[in-house]
Amino acid sequence: KPTAATVPAGNALTAAEVQSVIVQALGVAFDARAQIRQPLNSFAQVTATVVDTNGNILGLARTPDAAIFGTDVAVQKARTVAFFSQNTAGATLSAASASIASYVTNSTIFFGANEFANGTAWTPRALGNISRPFYPDGIDANANGPLSRPFASWSVFTDGLQLDLVSGNIIALAGGAAPGAEACGGPQAFGGAGGLPLVGAAGQTALANGIQIFAGGVPIYRGAVLVGAVGVSGDGIDQDDLVSFLGLARAGGAISNAPMAIRADNLNPLGDGNLRYVNCPTQPFLDSTAQNVCNGL
């Protein structure tokens, strides 16, 4: 059952808006050609979730055969988007620890400004672009993105900010500590000793199950005001992008995708245009030959 948000005051998502985003997103999934399903020309199977600006889950639904892992990952994607698209993200990260603050410093140098402090609209795809051991992907002579470790110290098990935010908890649990109280969106201080204080006095869950740098989520705006985020997981990341971005666009009413002027793909740190916001498949639908369906939205 969808739940109305209480934040931000005066602009909070209503239960009807939450339901509309999820219904429209799953509608896109049922029409979309799956990337990872057999037989060919099956529709995409995904989980879609909506969170408020504190990371609290307002609604979550799955297609009939959606992968179980997608539930956790969809929530991660939505929370990541909601957190980083707020102008407090840079300060919150910087206050966590010196090691976490270094990623904000590196990002500020990379972009020439603190893009986690000025209301830039971020997506998991855009954050993933700057979390690679080479930026952009495939140019091995280039330096790492600012949210990644340098390649000499990088591995899939120690990739940068994504791991460092949760490493304290992983170490504590490996040592026999009891797991936190996270349950269906309830608060948990994910980050552990020296990590990020992610739960505030109001009980926000923020990044309670860590960040996600696989594509498939977008922030939700009411005009120019960030009001939440939608995350989608379960199929190829281009399909997840399509379902989240186009689903929100079709929800209608007073909510929409981020204004184009503040989207992260306006940033062009190396003059190469490689920082993407979303990447929808060219001809995504099973019952239509429509192409480039996300363009202009």
Side-chain angles (χ1 to χ4, degrees):
K1 181 180 179 180
T3 302
T6 58
V7 292
N11 284 292
L13 288 165
T14 67
E17 288 172 331
V18 173
Q19 179 169 311
S20 180
V21 172
I22 292 176
V23 167
Q24 292 300 326
L26 296 187
V28 173
F30 284 128
D31 287 339
R33 182 178 292 104
Q35 184 180 45
I36 64 170
R37 291 271 165 178
Q38 292 285 358
L40 296 178
N41 292 323
S42 298
F43 65 81
Q45 299 269 6
V46 300
T47 298
T49 189
V50 173
V51 302
D52 66 15
T53 52
N54 283 344
N56 297 304
I57 298 172
L58 304 176
L60 185 151
R62 303 167 56 235
T63 54
D65 193 35
I68 298 300
F69 72 79
T71 301
D72 182 60
V73 178
V75 173
Q76 283 183 322
K77 290 178 179 181
R79 286 175 172 166
T80 301
V81 168
F83 177 83
F84 278 94
S85 297
Q86 297 183 65
N87 59 17
T88 56
T92 303
L93 291 168
S94 295
S97 69
S99 62
I100 298 298
S102 69
Y103 292 103
V104 179
T105 301
N106 293 343
S107 297
T108 301
I109 295 170
F110 185 74
F111 290 114
N114 187 349
E115 298 297 342
F116 304 140
N118 61 6
T120 297
W122 287 94
T123 61
R125 181 177 291 276
L127 292 165
N129 289 164
I130 59 173
S131 298
R132 304 286 195 265
F134 302 108
Y135 180 89
D137 281 333
I139 311 298
D140 292 359
N142 283 10
N144 56 288
L147 300 188
S148 172
R149 291 184 182 278
F151 182 68
S153 59
W154 180 93
S155 81
V156 293
F157 301 107
T158 175
D159 59 351
L161 179 63
Q162 183 181 41
L163 176 72
D164 288 357
L165 284 174
V166 300
S167 59
N169 286 71
I170 293 172
I171 293 169
L173 292 171
E182 172 73 359
C184 297
Q188 172 182 322
F190 216 124
L196 189 60
L198 296 174
V199 179
Q204 74 258 29
T205 49
L207 300 177
N209 56 337
I211 69 170
Q212 184 53 252
I213 56 177
F214 287 161
V218 292
I220 303 171
Y221 284 78
R222 191 182 305 283
V225 179
L226 176 72
V227 296
V230 55
V232 173
S233 179
D235 203 82
I237 57 174
D238 287 357
Q239 280 69 22
D240 292 348
D241 258 354
L242 170 77
V243 172
S244 58
F245 182 80
L246 194 57
L248 175 55
R250 291 180 174 180
I255 57 173
S256 65
N257 280 291
M260 289 188 181
I262 67 170
R263 294 179 187 176
D265 58 356
N266 288 294
L267 308 175
N268 199 15
L270 300 185
D272 53 18
N274 280 298
L275 191 67
R276 304 300 300 274
Y277 189 72
V278 294
N279 195 59
C280 297
T282 301
Q283 188 172 311
F285 297 130
L286 294 168
D287 57 356
S288 167
T289 58
Q291 299 187 40
N292 303 314
V293 296
C294 295
N295 286 6
L297 297 177

